[in-house]
Amino acid sequence: MEYKVTVATGTSEYSGTNNYIYVTLVGERGESERTVLDNPGLDFCRGAVDDYTVKSSADLGPLILVRLEKQKYWVEDNWFCRYVKVSIPGERCSYTFPCYRWLVGDKVVVELREGTAKKICYDNLPLEISHRTSELQERQKIYRWLAWAPGIPKCIDAKTEADLPQDARFDNEKRSDFVGSLNYALLELSLKKLAIKFGKSWDDLDDFKRIFWKLRSPIAEYTMTHWKEDWFFGYQFLNGSNPRMITRCKELPENFPVTGDMVQSSLISTTTLKEELKKGNIFMVDHAIMDGIPANVIRDRTQHIAAPLCLLYEHPEKGLIPIAIQLEQKPDKDTPIFLPSDPPLAWLLAKMWVRHAEFQVFQLLSHLLRTHLVVEVVCVATLRQLPAVHPIYKLLAPHLRYTLEINCRGRTQLISSDGIFKRVVSTGGDGLLILAQREYKVLTYRSLQPKFDFLDRGVTKLRNYFYRDYSLMLWDVIQNFVSGIVSLYYQSDSEIEQDSELQAWINDVAVEGFVEVPNFGLASELKTKEELITLLSVAIFTSTAQHAATNNGQFDWCAWVPNTPCTMRHPPPTDKDAVTMGLIMDTLPDISQSCVQMAITWHLGRAQPDAIPMGQYVEQYFTEPAALKVIDKFRKELKEVEEQIIAQNEGLELQYLYLCPSRMENSITI
């Protein structure tokens, strides 16, 4: 028998190899000859798709797996294999063996299962069972859980990204761009600090324009123009970088003693605060989680933190506007309630303090903890408990790309004891961990499901809440997609319960990964298809739409530093009449801190050059026509969502396009 073997090499830099590559075909009736793959000229160049002939003394029967071996030729040279295809000349029968893995080292052997997704109950041959078992045993040695800190979900056991296996690392282009863009931003930062005076306070708010050089965006410039306006302040709670905090206020909390007379001038003349509370037009943003967080010390100077409460009113003409702000959780004579009728500078500074709290919450909690670290738990459990042939592994793998490396970099470069947060952010240092621990004490699985989140916060009827509208549209599309894939492989709830690998996976997620999250509310076993579909939808929604909503606009909303300051250098004001422009400038980040804030938010929020848009599966783990049909339907529905979003934003001065599928990545990569 002769078999035609097609081997595809990766397209990224350094994917090719000059090492020897051997292949063995393994079927139900035996194995082929161990064959070196060698055509005239160069083999296995970057992006190459090469054809070879492999001989066997007899018909191998249905093929089960392909065995690839790499041996050193002069020097060790790693190789990335995309897939192997096998066909019999003259016959229609063909097999695809997805790989998408690096072969690293000398005399390394990788065995690839045929691409049809299979649950463990459909593997009957001893070779199939042993392959599943050995694959997971090997992965569990490589991907280990680590308790990074008490009260925090577990993460991958890697001190730095260098400790990760090659398959979890950035491609070379991604790595070079990540380092290069950061250096570019920091170089511009250095030039700015030389052009201005390092470590000095700004003289006037307009001075912040002096760091708007090459790093800019239309929304950042719009923010620079409109940031003082109350409607714009309210708009950011709906469609800014932290759109998950606003809740309906049914009654005022005891620690926020706002009276009707205080805010009457902000309401329409024919109503009262009491009436608007009943109608559902009063909303609250409460940063109680910030109360008592220890402040960072930057260059021997203690920074300052507030835990503000902000009352908002959905005005029929002006939109959502702030009507009262209290900067601490305990009201007293030194904690005044700031109002729009106060001296303009006092009201402006109060809003700045709210936006400062927003920076801490969105960067650490909404972004890092509720997307990056939540998805990391799913990622580690998937690698440990689901073999590559399992349908749920095939579904999740594209949505977990690069997440382990970017999270390792976040822990070492962003929130470490000498990271960016420690250098410029008021919660840097000990405050970070305490804030994270508080968030995880209240984090629930239910809150990660957008329909419940909006319902529980009472914001289903808020006008111009584009984040909500587009999130729900995407959730429905994702859930339909997941349901379509799951239904191909699970016909009943009993099949969910009987899948031992799936049960080991959910146990790893709930019992290992989220063991330190007491109120999370995720069961350690799956009993129904609906439960599985919801969990997979949460994982994909979080790694795509939710991450895009909190990450992709951070430069837009933070580049104009007074709008969202990373730190405050003076305590919150206690006397409204004592607020001067000098106090405001001495409170806001200094020149150096402002430059770092602008540089790092550009670096993290910019579009990635190697981004794979949502729903575009460059690595094709599924090979069956039925699954490919579901994926194609998913892409079409995402395109329809995008068209709706574009149409709804047409003509708007301030557009909300972060949740366009073409602008979202398939996974958390930054």
Side-chain angles (χ1 to χ4, degrees):
M1 290 288 292
E2 287 190 354
Y3 294 85
K4 178 185 175 183
V5 176
T6 302
V7 180
T9 296
T11 57
S12 64
E13 200 171 27
Y14 304 123
S15 291
T17 185
N18 61 4
N19 284 186
Y20 294 114
I21 303 297
Y22 298 86
V23 67
T24 305
L25 308 182
V26 182
E28 290 186 9
R29 300 175 194 158
E31 299 186 2
S32 71
E33 299 172 5
R34 177 177 179 266
T35 305
V36 62
L37 302 181
D38 187 16
N39 287 331
L42 294 175
D43 297 284
F44 312 113
C45 295
R46 173 184 176 182
V49 179
D50 300 310
D51 292 331
Y52 303 91
T53 298
V54 174
K55 296 180 179 181
S56 171
S57 59
D59 184 354
L60 301 176
L63 296 183
I64 300 171
L65 57 84
V66 164
R67 184 180 302 126
L68 293 174
E69 301 176 60
K70 185 176 76 68
Q71 288 189 6
K72 183 172 68 175
Y73 174 76
W74 291 104
V75 295
E76 173 55 42
D77 191 15
N78 298 339
W79 177 50
F80 186 87
C81 177
R82 285 186 287 156
Y83 59 82
V84 176
K85 290 185 177 180
V86 181
S87 61
I88 303 172
E91 297 186 18
R92 291 185 178 182
C93 179
S94 65
Y95 303 84
T96 300
F97 299 82
C99 183
Y100 306 110
R101 292 177 59 185
W102 286 95
L103 277 70
V104 179
D106 185 28
K107 298 180 180 179
V108 63
V109 178
V110 170
E111 292 185 335
L112 308 176
R113 286 289 300 269
E114 194 273 325
T116 303
K118 284 187 175 182
K119 300 178 296 181
I120 190 170
C121 63
Y122 289 118
D123 275 350
N124 301 313
L125 299 174
L127 179 60
E128 294 173 326
I129 298 295
S130 64
H131 182 268
R132 294 182 91 106
T133 303
S134 60
E135 180 184 8
L136 291 180
Q137 288 174 343
E138 182 64 24
R139 289 231 220 106
Q140 287 166 12
K141 293 176 184 176
I142 297 171
Y143 300 99
R144 304 171 304 276
W145 289 110
L146 174 69
W148 176 57
I152 304 292
K154 289 183 180 178
C155 63
I156 188 69
D157 185 2
K159 291 182 180 178
T160 72
E161 65 276 5
D163 296 329
L164 294 171
Q166 188 66 37
D167 288 330
R169 297 295 310 275
F170 289 168
D171 284 343
N172 189 69
E173 294 99 327
K174 167 76 172 179
R175 188 179 307 116
S176 299
D177 175 76
F178 185 90
V179 174
S181 71
L182 180 59
N183 289 338
Y184 171 84
L186 293 176
L187 174 62
E188 183 170 331
L189 145 72
S190 298
L191 293 174
K192 289 170 182 175
K193 287 195 295 188
L194 289 173
I196 313 170
K197 293 181 179 179
F198 177 82
K200 180 180 178 295
S201 296
W202 303 96
D203 295 322
D204 187 83
L205 289 171
D206 282 345
D207 286 347
F208 283 96
K209 295 177 182 177
R210 296 167 65 186
I211 57 173
F212 264 74
W213 290 7
K214 292 182 179 179
L215 304 185
R216 56 204 307 161
S217 77
I219 292 181
E221 295 187 40
Y222 188 93
T223 300
M224 180 175 66
T225 303
H226 296 278
W227 70 284
K228 293 181 182 179
E229 298 167 27
D230 284 355
W231 76 266
F232 187 77
F233 177 85
Y235 175 91
Q236 292 179 81
F237 289 120
L238 302 177
N239 304 308
S241 289
N242 193 35
R244 66 166 192 90
M245 292 288 288
I246 188 166
T247 62
R248 179 186 170 186
C249 181
K250 296 181 180 179
E251 59 179 353
L252 292 170
E254 292 183 0
N255 65 331
F256 195 15
V258 176
T259 66
D261 290 341
M262 287 181 180
V263 299
Q264 185 60 50
S265 61
S266 297
L267 309 178
I268 58 174
S269 58
T270 56
T271 191
T272 64
L273 177 60
K274 188 175 181 180
E275 289 175 2
E276 293 302 306
L277 284 166
K278 287 182 180 179
K279 291 177 182 177
N281 294 329
I282 303 297
F283 298 87
M284 172 98 75
V285 176
D286 187 353
H287 294 97
I289 198 167
M290 298 284 295
D291 192 29
I293 295 293
N296 194 8
V297 177
I298 301 175
R299 294 196 297 273
D300 299 322
R301 180 172 177 176
T302 300
Q303 307 299 290
H304 296 274
I305 293 172
L309 299 100
C310 181
L311 200 65
L312 300 116
Y313 168 52
E314 189 175 30
H315 194 285
E317 298 170 359
K318 301 177 182 178
L320 188 70
I321 56 172
I323 58 174
I325 294 172
Q326 181 178 290
L327 298 181
E328 299 292 356
Q329 290 291 308
K330 297 177 181 177
D332 58 36
K333 60 182 179 62
D334 292 326
T335 307
I337 294 176
F338 291 85
L339 305 169
S341 55
D342 288 337
L345 290 181
W347 179 237
L348 181 64
L349 183 55
K351 290 191 293 182
M352 287 183 187
W353 272 103
V354 174
R355 295 297 304 163
H356 165 259
E358 283 283 286
F359 183 96
Q360 318 305 316
V361 170
F362 106 74
Q363 285 285 19
L364 184 64
L365 308 185
S366 301
H367 179 204
L368 180 63
L369 271 67
R370 294 178 67 98
T371 63
H372 282 255
L373 301 191
V374 165
V375 172
E376 183 170 2
V377 168
V378 176
C379 182
V380 174
T382 300
L383 291 166
R384 286 172 51 82
Q385 303 298 346
L386 298 178
V389 75
H390 197 286
I392 303 308
Y393 178 91
K394 291 174 179 285
L395 173 64
L396 286 176
H399 300 287
L400 306 176
R401 172 179 177 259
Y402 291 164
T403 298
L404 294 184
E405 171 148 355
I406 194 60
N407 284 8
C408 284
R409 288 181 178 270
R411 283 186 284 269
T412 57
Q413 299 173 16
L414 190 67
I415 59 175
S416 61
S417 58
D418 59 349
I420 295 291
F421 266 58
K422 179 60 182 171
R423 289 169 53 194
V424 299
V425 178
S426 59
T427 52
D430 295 339
L432 278 173
L433 180 58
I434 296 172
L435 192 56
Q437 289 168 331
R438 287 184 182 180
E439 175 69 7
Y440 278 127
K441 283 182 180 178
V442 298
L443 176 66
T444 64
Y445 175 52
R446 179 181 172 91
S447 71
L448 300 178
Q449 302 171 52
K451 289 185 178 180
F452 289 135
D453 175 45
F454 299 124
L455 186 66
D456 294 346
R457 291 193 285 119
V459 292
T460 57
K461 296 181 180 179
L462 251 174
R463 299 193 308 274
N464 299 323
Y465 199 178
F466 305 126
Y467 161 73
R468 175 201 61 209
D469 298 340
Y470 303 159
S471 291
L472 292 174
M473 290 162 62
L474 288 164
W475 173 262
D476 287 342
V477 171
I478 291 169
Q479 198 169 42
N480 289 340
F481 166 59
V482 171
S483 179
I485 292 292
V486 168
S487 295
L488 289 178
Y489 302 99
Y490 297 92
Q491 275 66 54
S492 66
D493 293 342
S494 62
E495 291 184 25
I496 300 288
E497 292 186 279
Q498 292 165 10
D499 188 338
S500 58
E501 291 171 337
L502 192 63
Q503 296 301 333
W505 172 74
I506 184 60
N507 187 73
D508 227 21
V509 170
V511 176
E512 285 288 342
F514 289 117
V515 64
E516 293 282 351
V517 188
N519 298 309
F520 193 59
L522 178 64
S524 60
E525 58 182 349
L526 290 165
K527 295 183 178 180
T528 67
K529 285 175 60 178
E530 183 181 359
E531 290 174 354
L532 175 60
I533 290 167
T534 298
L535 178 54
L536 295 172
S537 299
V538 165
I540 295 174
F541 178 84
T542 304
S543 63
T544 55
Q546 192 58 49
H547 180 258
T550 55
N551 177 80
N552 294 3
Q554 58 178 297
F555 179 74
D556 291 338
W557 308 111
C558 301
W560 180 248
V561 175
N563 181 63
T564 319
C566 62
T567 191
M568 296 294 242
R569 296 179 296 141
H570 275 272
T574 58
D575 183 353
K576 299 178 183 181
D577 295 323
V579 177
T580 63
M581 183 56 71
L583 174 63
I584 290 177
M585 301 316 300
D586 286 342
T587 299
L588 287 170
D590 64 25
I591 293 171
S592 174
Q593 293 165 336
S594 300
C595 289
V596 173
Q597 173 176 327
M598 192 176 188
I600 201 65
T601 54
W602 175 81
H603 171 63
L604 296 177
R606 71 194 179 95
Q608 298 300 294
D610 67 337
I612 298 177
M614 184 180 181
Q616 302 304 309
Y617 296 105
V618 175
E619 297 182 346
Q620 296 181 5
Y621 291 93
F622 284 107
T623 61
E624 306 96 298
L628 297 178
K629 185 177 180 180
V630 173
I631 291 172
D632 187 54
K633 181 174 180 285
F634 180 43
R635 289 196 185 110
K636 289 179 180 177
E637 291 182 356
L638 288 174
K639 185 178 179 181
E640 291 171 3
V641 167
E642 175 128 1
E643 290 171 352
Q644 284 184 260
I645 292 174
I646 298 289
Q648 290 177 16
N649 279 270
E650 189 173 353
L652 293 182
E653 190 176 20
L654 190 57
Q655 298 187 340
Y656 187 79
L657 302 174
Y658 303 120
L659 294 185
C660 283
S662 67
R663 301 187 180 207
M664 296 189 295
E665 289 202 64
N666 231 1
S667 61
I668 296 175
T669 72
I670 189 65

